[in-house]
Amino acid sequence: MPPGITTLAADAPTLSAANTGFMLICSALVMIMTPALAFFYGGMVRVKSTLNMLMMSFISLGIVTILWVLYGFSLAFGTDIGSFIGWSSDFAGFSGIGVTQLWDGYTIPVYVFAVFQLMFAIITPALISGALADRVKFTSWALFITLWVTVVYFPVAHWVWGAGGWLYELGVIDFAGGTAVHINAGAAALGVILVIGKRVGFKKDPMRPHSLPLVMLGAGLLWFGWFGFNAGSWLGNDDGVGAVMFVNTQVATAAAMLAWLGYEKLRHGSFTTLGAASGAVAGLVAITPSGGAISPLGAIAVGAIAGVLCAVAVGLKYRFGYDDSLDVVGVHLVGGITGSLLIGLFATGGVQSDAKGLFYGGGLDQLGKQAVGVFAVLAYSLVVSAVLALILDKTIGMRVDEDDEVSGIDQVEHAETAYDFSGAGGGSSARSTAPATAPTNKKVDA
Amino acid sequence: MKLITAVVKPHRLDEIKEALQGFGVQGLTVTEASGYGRQRGHTEVYRGAEYTVDLVPKIRIEVLVEDEDSEQLIDVVVKAARTGKIGDGKVWSVPVETAVRVRTGERGPDAL
């Protein structure tokens, strides 16, 4: 993905209809990941907060899209300023982008690159929401997304993928978003929950997932969309690298699902549905940074290691007492770190970059670079996200009232409920607000 | 007269109905129920977090019979309901003072 490391034609590139079509499809595949995530998360919460969980992801499609056009794309992928941020006035408002103008050294239009990257910017804040289930005011969440993408996601995307970004220049490999997306979102989730605290009843009340079929539907659609996320990140497929990434995505995900299920069977006695879905997502997360640098056998190793580590990690919240509701830290932060660091061991050289990992004769050099990337994004995102949450908490408040949280955030924040249980005694009568306020018997003198 | 009440596993309903019909029982009442006995429900695991589900689904079958048939009828129900596994349920009987068939006003054994 990063500009400058393409192996495509050395001469001035021309627009490729095949690559452009491929990338438009990949962009659409990445788009479906956000509603898929909504269902993955939505099934895991209790009935009373299903809609809020869906909406916390869905709203990102609205907010981030507009910000991306106005200034996000320019901040992330504009001309580098001090290795920290970008800016190009042509990109702001998409005002100066020509229809046939190609993205830096590639065979696809800038518009295609911009819309592909937009989908990444949308799903990243949506990932954070899983940690905040049941308890955050919707307005505060919408404001949080607005601020967070502006001061965290856009700069970090520039560091990792932008020409001149300091992590990119350092040689940190992040094929499709292990640091920029998953570590970034996982660390932000940890930062926010340290500020806002636990759900009412955490560790006391049962908080079982209300619909595992929804979780499986979401996980399946995430897996499907992830092919666009990963295979599309080479920005074309006329040299076969996108296909390698497609294979590695499938292989690592399969290995991670099996590893998570195996761990569960040994530890808890059952192969659970939630374990299969979670293991698959853990594998997808881990292969995201590494898939362009490793072989399919390496992908099996990366997936299996991530599957077990993430399965272990999700139990830590009970030990440490922080309420990461749907395990964003355990799956995305831990999975992202695992995939990013394992590049330092499993990179074969010669696919995405020449960098070789420890097991392929490259020594510890790449591992060190990966560690810098992991730590820098983790620390920046954790601290800034916690500060943003603190500011919102002290001003408009981050959490709903305790009573509202207990009775259910869907009714309070959205004036809706996910399921109609009126047949079971919860009946309601239809009433329009319009007739109640409209003057019905008033004489009007002309 | 006796009222026989059986709280048993839902999937045994068909066998119990057939057994009762074979015994000559004319009518019965079935309701959905939930509860637990000595085994205390079951445990579910979500990402390693264990939840105990106390109340498990049961059905409750009620039949009115004449005194002399009650012991034999209890045996019929128990035999049809038994799977040998934990949670098979319970059957008991209590005396009934009177019974009336609503349509005709018949009382006592005639109402059965």
Side-chain angles (χ1 to χ4, degrees), chain A residues 6 93 122 175 219 223 234 244 258 268 352:
Chain A
T6 175
I122 289 168
F175 191 80
W223 192 334
W234 196 242
V244 172
L258 297 180
H268 304 291
Q352 179 192 353

Side-chain angles (χ1 to χ4, degrees), chain A residues 49-418:
Chain A
S49 48
T50 310
L51 293 178
N52 180 251
M53 204 67 254
L54 296 177
M55 276 291 280
M56 283 174 89
S57 289
F58 220 78
I59 194 65
S60 186
L61 283 159
I63 293 172
V64 180
T65 299
I66 302 303
L67 297 182
W68 187 251
V69 173
L70 294 181
Y71 60 79
F73 181 52
S74 187
L75 287 179
F77 291 100
T79 308
D80 180 67
I81 302 170
S83 302
F84 184 81
I85 196 77
W87 185 258
S88 296
S89 54
D90 285 352
F91 291 173
F94 285 14
S95 53
I97 303 173
V99 173
T100 56
Q101 186 184 341
L102 299 186
W103 176 246
D104 190 25
Y106 287 83
T107 59
I108 58 170
V110 176
Y111 269 115
V112 175
F113 178 73
V115 84
F116 180 67
Q117 280 295 333
L118 162 62
M119 303 310 174
F120 286 67
I122 289 168
I123 195 170
T124 308
L127 288 170
I128 302 169
S129 68
L132 318 180
D134 299 351
R135 61 197 188 283
V136 171
K137 285 182 190 168
F138 192 66
T139 317
S140 306
W141 170 245
L143 268 170
F144 178 82
I145 290 182
T146 305
L147 298 171
W148 189 83
V149 291
T150 304
V151 299
V152 181
Y153 184 80
F154 299 154
V156 168
H158 182 76
W159 300 357
V160 176
W161 293 323
W166 74 277
L167 291 177
Y168 173 67
E169 295 299 332
L170 184 68
V172 175
I173 295 176
D174 183 0
F175 191 80
T179 48
V181 175
H182 297 287
I183 293 174
N184 202 357
L190 187 58
V192 177
I193 55 182
L194 290 177
V195 171
I196 68 168
K198 307 162 199 170
R199 285 169 292 180
V200 175
F202 177 63
K203 289 215 278 192
K204 292 197 290 278
D205 299 341
M207 294 176 178
R208 281 189 291 164
H210 90 280
S211 172
L212 287 173
L214 276 192
V215 174
M216 289 302 261
L217 174 70
L221 281 175
L222 276 171
W223 192 334
F224 176 69
W226 224 291
F227 290 122
F229 199 87
N230 284 354
S233 286
W234 196 242
L235 304 183
N237 197 29
D238 37 13
D239 56 2
V241 175
V244 172
M245 193 64 202
F246 195 111
V247 169
N248 283 348
T249 302
Q250 178 68 11
V251 167
T253 309
M257 178 175 74
L258 297 180
W260 186 304
L261 286 172
Y263 170 82
E264 249 188 348
K265 179 66 179 170
L266 291 173
R267 182 78 179 73
H268 304 291
S270 306
F271 300 110
T272 71
T273 310
L274 185 58
S278 311
V281 173
L284 290 163
V285 170
I287 200 64
T288 294
S290 58
I294 64 179
S295 68
L297 284 177
I300 292 180
V302 167
I305 293 167
V308 172
L309 284 182
C310 292
V312 173
V314 297
L316 294 180
K317 68 177 175 183
Y318 298 107
R319 192 167 305 166
F320 294 136
Y322 66 89
D323 185 10
D324 171 15
S325 318
L326 311 181
D327 301 308
V328 181
V329 176
V331 175
H332 293 276
L333 181 60
V334 173
I337 291 173
T338 304
S340 293
L341 292 182
L342 287 180
I343 292 171
L345 303 182
F346 288 103
T348 57
V351 187
Q352 179 192 353
S353 85
D354 294 334
K356 290 186 175 181
L358 183 64
F359 297 162
Y360 291 83
L364 291 169
D365 183 50
Q366 191 60 36
L367 184 62
K369 290 176 181 173
Q370 295 304 118
V372 170
V374 165
F375 182 75
V377 174
L378 197 165
Y380 180 75
S381 181
L382 179 76
V383 171
V384 178
S385 307
V387 170
L388 290 179
L390 202 60
I391 291 170
L392 288 172
D393 200 42
K394 296 291 178 200
T395 51
I396 58 172
M398 280 292 278
R399 291 185 66 147
V400 296
D401 289 344
E402 193 173 319
D403 282 354
D404 293 339
E405 186 184 326
V406 171
S407 63
I409 193 168
D410 284 1
Q411 281 176 24
V412 181
E413 292 290 303
H414 307 291
E416 296 168 306
T417 46

Side-chain angles (χ1 to χ4, degrees), chain B:
Chain B
M1 278 179 299
K2 289 277 193 335
L3 171 68
I4 314 285
T5 303
V7 176
V8 295
K9 287 182 173 168
H11 73 273
R12 302 305 293 175
L13 177 59
D14 284 346
E15 284 82 354
I16 295 167
K17 264 188 346 194
E18 280 172 26
L20 289 173
Q21 279 160 8
F23 187 76
V25 169
Q26 303 280 339
L28 52 79
T29 305
V30 177
T31 39
E32 288 180 15
S34 60
Y36 61 82
R38 264 181 267 179
Q39 89 279 9
R40 303 283 299 189
H42 62 267
T43 303
E44 296 181 6
V45 184
Y46 298 97
R47 280 184 179 162
E50 293 191 355
Y51 296 99
T52 303
V53 180
D54 269 347
L55 299 175
V56 291
K58 298 283 175 192
I59 51 159
R60 176 190 180 103
I61 303 168
E62 288 164 308
V63 188
L64 282 169
V65 289
E66 294 193 51
D67 287 341
E68 60 267 29
D69 294 334
S70 72
E71 283 303 317
Q72 210 182 336
L73 194 132
I74 288 172
D75 290 343
V76 166
V77 173
V78 168
K79 197 173 159 214
R82 179 177 290 153
T83 68
K85 295 192 184 123
I86 209 153
D88 268 355
K90 274 196 181 39
V91 183
W92 64 87
S93 72
V94 289
V96 174
E97 284 188 9
T98 188
V100 185
R101 174 170 287 127
V102 175
R103 175 169 57 83
T104 59
E106 290 164 287
R107 286 180 166 260
D110 292 340
L112 296 183

